[in-house]
Amino acid sequence: MASSEPLPLSQGSAEGRDAGSNRGVPEARVTGSKISIGSSSWPESIKENYLLVDKSFILPRIILDKSPILLTRPRRFGKTMCVSMFEDFFGVPRGETLEKKKARYKDMKIGADPEFIDAHCGRYPDVRSPDVEGFHEKLIDVLKDLLRCFPEINDDVRKK
């Protein structure tokens, strides 16, 4: 028999919200004061103080659950912005320091867990592209960045 419990990332049923319960799921909060037209960049939205929903409480679930994530929501529900947040949080910093990247999250829900931020923010290379050719080029760029950042990898490869 199917469970009537909400999925882990849902906000529960309408009855649960009316009763003041979210069934253990953290509530997202809204930040910013300006309305963005057409931006889907998480870092830009924070820098420009655009209104956005802080869903950073999802970040630990990605690491801890180790299961695939399927984002299914109707249009205009923030799927692209959420993925942009994933890329920004986990991705290796480009054009900024790691400390500046971490500072972006200190006032968010995830900011309550500085150990998680230290352990995972900016630690994983991301490769995303809308087409195969772009993916190939981006992958090469990421690998070159890794070799620049970690010269010992290059030395290990040469030894083999």
Side-chain angles (χ1 to χ4, degrees):
M1 180 172 206
S3 170
S4 63
E5 288 297 310
L7 294 174
L9 298 180
S10 77
Q11 289 297 314
S13 67
E15 304 85 48
R17 285 193 301 274
D18 292 342
S21 166
N22 63 5
R23 298 184 184 180
V25 177
E27 290 189 25
R29 67 181 178 90
V30 177
T31 65
S33 61
K34 298 188 308 188
I35 295 176
S36 167
I37 306 294
S39 174
S40 58
S41 166
W42 180 263
E44 177 187 341
S45 295
I46 293 171
K47 178 182 173 191
E48 297 296 328
N49 199 29
Y50 291 146
L51 282 169
L52 57 85
V53 177
D54 174 7
K55 297 180 184 177
S56 63
F57 65 88
I58 297 171
L59 294 167
R61 310 251 355 220
I62 293 172
I63 296 294
L64 301 174
D65 284 355
K66 296 184 185 314
S67 58
I69 298 170
L70 176 62
L71 297 174
T72 58
R73 285 297 191 216
R75 292 177 48 189
R76 312 299 303 163
F77 265 71
K79 296 179 296 291
T80 303
M81 185 66 78
C82 195
V83 171
S84 178
M85 177 190 60
F86 297 161
E87 290 175 333
D88 180 58
F89 183 83
F90 293 115
V92 175
R94 291 192 173 95
E96 68 180 345
T97 65
L98 181 58
E99 292 310 312
K100 185 174 181 181
K101 179 185 274 249
K102 288 179 180 180
R104 225 182 340 265
Y105 293 91
K106 70 179 174 60
D107 295 327
M108 308 256 167
K109 288 265 189 182
I110 193 67
D113 191 353
E115 292 170 0
F116 182 83
I117 292 174
D118 287 340
H120 298 287
C121 184
R123 303 288 185 207
Y124 307 96
D126 63 279
V127 180
R128 179 179 178 208
S129 179
D131 57 33
V132 175
E133 291 81 19
F135 177 82
H136 184 256
E137 291 171 14
K138 178 120 185 213
L139 180 60
I140 289 171
D141 289 344
V142 167
L143 292 173
K144 285 178 181 177
D145 285 347
L146 283 172
L147 290 175
R148 267 194 300 275
C149 293
F150 303 99
E152 63 274 9
I153 293 173
N154 203 7
D155 294 339
D156 289 345
V157 170
R158 287 186 189 150
K159 290 177 185 174
K160 293 178 182 178

